[in-house]
C-alpha cells in the first residue's frame, strides 16, 4: 500500500490535505484523532480537536500521531510538498532514513 498526500505548513505546523480534510501531523503525539479508518482517541492531554485547533491558531479536522504513523514507513518530501505512507514491506526508497520512536510508552 502506497499513499501520497499533499502537505503544507500552517502556522509552522505540518498539515496533510486529505481530500479537503486537514490533518495536523504530530510526531510527538502518541495518539491520533482520525475517526475514519482507525479507531483513535478523542482527546490528547484532556483537549479535543477543537481545543487543539484553537491552541494552534488554525482549524484542522484531525491529528495524525505516532499510533498510526508507526504502522508505516513515512516519507516526508518537503521539496515536492508531499508525504507518502508505505507498508513495512515496500522498498525502493531513496534518501536518508531517520527512525521515529515512541517515547511515551503507548
Amino acid at each position: 500500500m502506497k499513499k501520497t498526500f499533499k502537505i503544507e505548513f500552517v502556522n509552522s505546523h505540518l498539515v496533510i490535505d486529505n481530500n479537503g480534510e486537514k490533518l495536523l501531523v504530530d510526531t510527538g503525539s502518541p495518539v491520533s484523532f482520525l475517526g475514519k479508518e482507525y479507531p483513535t482517541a478523542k482527546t490528547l492531554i484532556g483537549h479535543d480537536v477543537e481545543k487543539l485547533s484553537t491552541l494552534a491558531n488554525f482549524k484542522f479536522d484531525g491529528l495524525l500521531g505516532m499510533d498510526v504513523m508507526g504502522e508505516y514507513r513515512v516519507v516526508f518530501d518537503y521539496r515536492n510538498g508531499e508525504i507518502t505512507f508505505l507498508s513495512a514491506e515496500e522498498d525502493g526508497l531513496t534518501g536518508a532514513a531517520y527512525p521515529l520512536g515512541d517515547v511515551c510508552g503507548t
Side-chain angles (χ1 to χ4, degrees), residues 10-66:
V10 179
N11 294 346
S12 300
H13 298 284
L14 184 63
V15 177
I16 292 175
D17 183 350
N18 183 25
N19 297 318
E21 181 181 44
K22 302 292 185 184
L23 301 176
L24 177 69
V25 176
D26 188 351
T27 60
S29 176
V31 297
S32 298
F33 308 143
L34 301 176
K36 289 188 177 177
E37 296 180 35
Y38 291 89
T40 56
K42 300 288 184 225
T43 65
L44 174 64
I45 58 171
H47 299 310
D48 61 12
V49 71
E50 289 79 23
K51 177 64 175 178
L52 292 171
S53 288
T54 300
L55 293 171
N57 290 321
F58 72 96
K59 171 82 172 101
F60 56 89
D61 304 299
L63 183 140
L64 184 63
M66 288 305 297

Side-chain angles (χ1 to χ4, degrees), residues 1-5 38 68-75 83-93:
M1 181 225 79
K2 177 180 178 181
K3 193 150 187 176
T4 300
F5 300 91
Y38 291 89
V68 174
M69 283 190 286
E71 295 181 22
Y72 299 95
R73 296 175 69 192
V74 182
V75 179
I83 187 170
T84 301
F85 296 86
L86 302 115
S87 66
E89 302 80 35
E90 291 180 274
D91 203 2
L93 300 175

